[in-house]
Amino acid sequence: MRVVVKVGTSTLAYPTGCLNIRHVELLVKTLSDLKNAGNEIVLVSSGAIGMGIGRLSLDGRPQDMPTKQAAASVGQCELMYTYDRLFGEYNHVVGQILLTGSDFSHAARKENFENTILRLIELGAIPVVNENDTIATDEISVGDNDTLAAMVACSVRADLLVLLSDIDGLYTKDPHKNPDAKLIPLVRELTPQIRELAEGKGSGLGTGGMITKLNAAQIAMQQGVDMVIANGARPRKLYNIVEGEAVGTRFIGKESGE
Ligand code: GLU
């Protein structure tokens, strides 16, 4: 199976901006093992800005663009250093790909990116993708990595997209505010009622939230790619997800199963 896994800042870093070693080590170990089992893995990783905040000892998420971009520049190095080292322990090779929204609307650049990522996969490497935050301003950026991951999943014609977040999946109500909220295990269609369930932005150092995850679902489902939202605090669940077991919320891609 070709699997694109997106991991959010809330999984990778503590609210301090320091690396969550337990989560990252478990994630890398599980992905390495899934790859050893014959799956092809693409990792879309957030955390550049979050980790830059930690490394530069900034006071929370910067509001101005140059500081955000400077934080991303520093944090992206730490991210890739960490992945290179940890995947290296399992004999896997990583390759960095940084993209902006405009790369997808520019035919030649899109083709170049697709050729590179597909070649990396063929060569047995694990592409690690992020937005090129140091040059992406609001006008040209994808803006959030949920959407970016869906675009990448469609580009590489993935079998499955997994968004790892700080929440177990899509709930009938905001579970942070409503203890009686229930997890929705399966979504076959993004009805207006489903869309209404997504409230506001995620918390902490990250960018996404349920709205961006449903946007990602729309992109993936349209192209026939299944998508799962699951909790990044339990990376071992990826084994079950790849096996098709019910974990988190699964959105069924259009053509699949029909
Ligand atoms: N590209 C951003 C970063 O690496 C994250 C965007 C997102 O979390 O959606 O910090």
Side-chain angles (χ1 to χ4, degrees):
M1 261 176 97
R2 182 170 290 174
V3 189
V4 175
V5 177
K6 180 259 174 179
V7 59
T9 304
S10 57
T11 300
L12 294 172
Y14 287 105
T16 55
C18 291
L19 190 70
N20 187 320
I21 296 170
R22 184 171 44 166
H23 286 177
V24 177
E25 285 189 343
L26 268 177
L27 174 71
V28 169
K29 189 172 179 177
T30 309
L31 291 178
S32 296
D33 202 29
L34 284 170
K35 185 155 166 47
N36 286 352
N39 299 289
E40 293 171 335
I41 306 291
V42 175
L43 180 60
V44 177
S45 178
S46 302
I49 297 174
M51 276 182 210
I53 291 168
R55 288 286 287 197
L56 293 167
S57 308
L58 301 177
D59 251 356
R61 199 177 162 89
Q63 293 310 312
D64 67 295
M65 195 51 90
T67 316
K68 240 192 249 180
Q69 294 185 319
S73 163
V74 170
Q76 184 65 28
C77 290
E78 186 176 3
L79 263 187
M80 287 314 294
Y81 168 70
T82 305
Y83 286 131
D84 194 28
R85 202 164 40 81
L86 294 180
F87 277 112
E89 283 180 19
Y90 300 103
N91 268 329
H92 290 302
V93 175
V94 294
Q96 172 181 265
I97 297 195
L98 297 177
L99 298 167
T100 63
S102 60
D103 294 328
F104 286 90
S105 44
H106 187 286
R109 270 155 44 190
K110 184 167 187 280
E111 195 187 330
N112 288 338
F113 139 68
E114 287 177 354
N115 288 342
T116 306
I117 195 164
L118 292 170
R119 191 82 185 106
L120 279 168
I121 295 171
E122 265 174 33
L123 291 167
I126 298 176
V128 181
V129 184
N130 195 0
E131 178 122 37
N132 194 354
D133 292 314
T134 58
I135 60 159
T137 52
D138 291 345
E139 301 75 52
I140 60 159
S141 70
V142 176
D144 68 87
N145 276 5
D146 296 325
T147 310
L148 177 66
M151 289 159 86
V152 168
C154 295
S155 281
V156 302
R157 293 175 294 284
D159 300 298
L160 178 66
L161 166 65
V162 183
L163 303 183
L164 294 177
S165 182
D166 57 357
I167 192 160
D168 286 347
L170 180 67
Y171 279 84
T172 50
K173 294 175 191 165
D174 182 347
H176 298 118
K177 297 182 202 146
N178 305 281
D180 61 332
K182 294 213 167 34
L183 183 77
I184 302 173
L186 203 64
V187 176
R188 292 189 182 275
E189 207 188 326
L190 288 176
T191 58
Q193 289 87 331
I194 292 284
R195 290 199 164 277
E196 264 172 38
L197 300 177
E199 276 173 36
K201 211 177 135 320
S203 52
L205 299 174
T207 312
M210 213 30 93
I211 294 176
T212 58
K213 288 177 180 50
L214 292 191
N215 286 342
Q218 179 162 22
I219 296 168
M221 288 165 91
Q222 253 166 22
Q223 300 289 317
V225 179
D226 280 13
M227 185 187 106
V228 173
I229 300 174
N231 201 318
R234 290 184 287 280
R236 285 210 182 93
K237 290 276 180 193
L238 280 166
Y239 289 115
N240 308 78
I241 295 170
V242 167
E243 290 292 322
E245 291 168 26
V247 176
T249 303
R250 185 175 287 255
F251 298 78
I252 305 293
K254 247 188 176 170
E255 291 102 348
S256 62
E258 270 157 35

